[in-house]
Amino acid sequence: MLNHTPENQRLVNLLARVALRDQQAFKELYDLTSAHLYGVALRYLRTASTAEDILQEAYINVWQQAGTYAATLSAPMTWLISVVRNKALDHLRKFKREMESTVQSIDDVDAGAEGQVDAIADHADPHELFSAATEAMVLKRCVAQLDAPQRQSLALAFYDGLSHSELAEHLRVPLGTAKAWVRRGLERLRKCIEAQQQPAAGG
């Protein structure tokens, strides 16, 4: 066994009991290790709420997979850190893919708006054409000013038709957070569009 210290031995024993579905052992393991593992998650994820969510997911994995821990291969804390690190990296990869998809969705909407402007051009008078083109540019400019979570939430809610609960599950955030992102994003969009459409003061 690696690292014959009392602390390591205690963690090894707790993991062995957790593998047998000992809930008291799981609680003791959590109490002993969660502060350090939270710090690991936070270093990767930077955001406290996300680090907390990932930490909870990691402990679910520990509960389910404690039987796979081999004390002869690694120290218990090393194994626990690897569980948290893998969860954090999975989250970051998933978030990167979603952001790339969101950017593409916004680009598609922009392209659609430009297509509408082209279609109007055959039938509209110059004033209508200018108005349609301006609206498309204003929307694109205002969407670009949103924070990334707000932009992504609006894209998923309106372009993909996700409900608040589906949005929260998709982004792996609390329901209240998902609702707040959509609400704040819409409010910022509304204010931005109104500001862009107002005529310049003083002529």
Side-chain angles (χ1 to χ4, degrees):
M1 185 182 298
L2 303 176
N3 297 325
H4 296 278
T5 64
E7 293 81 5
N8 273 347
Q9 187 57 54
R10 183 179 182 186
L11 293 178
V12 168
N13 293 340
L14 287 173
L15 282 168
R17 289 166 55 193
V18 170
L20 300 174
R21 297 296 186 265
D22 185 329
Q23 293 185 4
Q24 181 57 37
F26 184 70
K27 181 181 183 303
E28 290 179 32
L29 181 72
Y30 183 91
D31 290 342
L32 286 171
T33 61
S34 59
H36 181 75
L37 294 180
Y38 172 74
V40 173
L42 192 59
R43 282 201 300 273
Y44 281 94
L45 301 165
R46 305 295 182 185
T47 306
S49 60
T50 307
E52 290 168 1
D53 291 342
I54 292 303
L55 185 65
Q56 298 309 314
E57 291 184 20
Y59 274 105
I60 291 173
N61 271 28
V62 170
W63 173 257
Q64 295 170 341
Q65 300 176 11
T68 67
Y69 169 66
T72 55
L73 298 179
S74 65
M77 186 57 80
T78 301
W79 184 76
L80 291 168
I81 289 172
S82 71
V83 174
V84 174
R85 183 178 64 247
N86 289 339
K87 275 289 179 186
L89 292 175
D90 285 346
H91 175 84
L92 291 173
R93 282 191 289 265
K94 182 171 182 287
F95 184 75
K96 181 175 183 291
R97 288 195 302 269
E98 289 172 350
M99 287 305 298
E100 290 171 348
S101 175
T102 299
V103 170
Q104 183 60 51
S105 296
I106 291 173
D107 288 344
D108 290 344
V109 170
D110 291 339
E114 291 168 3
Q116 291 173 0
V117 172
D118 291 339
I120 291 170
D122 293 333
H123 308 287
D125 63 32
H127 176 75
E128 291 174 337
L129 180 58
F130 176 78
S131 177
T134 300
E135 287 176 4
M137 288 188 294
V138 166
L139 177 61
K140 183 174 183 178
R141 188 182 304 123
C142 289
V143 166
Q145 293 177 12
L146 296 177
D147 296 336
Q150 295 170 355
R151 188 164 60 246
Q152 183 181 21
S153 298
L154 291 181
L156 291 170
F158 294 99
Y159 306 156
D160 295 344
L162 298 190
S163 66
H164 281 134
S165 58
E166 290 170 336
L167 188 63
E169 182 178 357
H170 184 76
L171 298 178
R172 300 169 78 174
V173 298
L175 179 59
T177 299
K179 287 182 177 179
W181 284 349
V182 172
R183 184 178 66 253
R184 291 169 188 164
L186 284 174
E187 181 65 15
R188 287 187 62 183
L189 260 187
R190 182 183 65 79
K191 290 181 178 179
C192 177
I193 291 172
E194 288 177 353
Q196 295 284 340
Q197 290 178 339
Q198 287 177 353

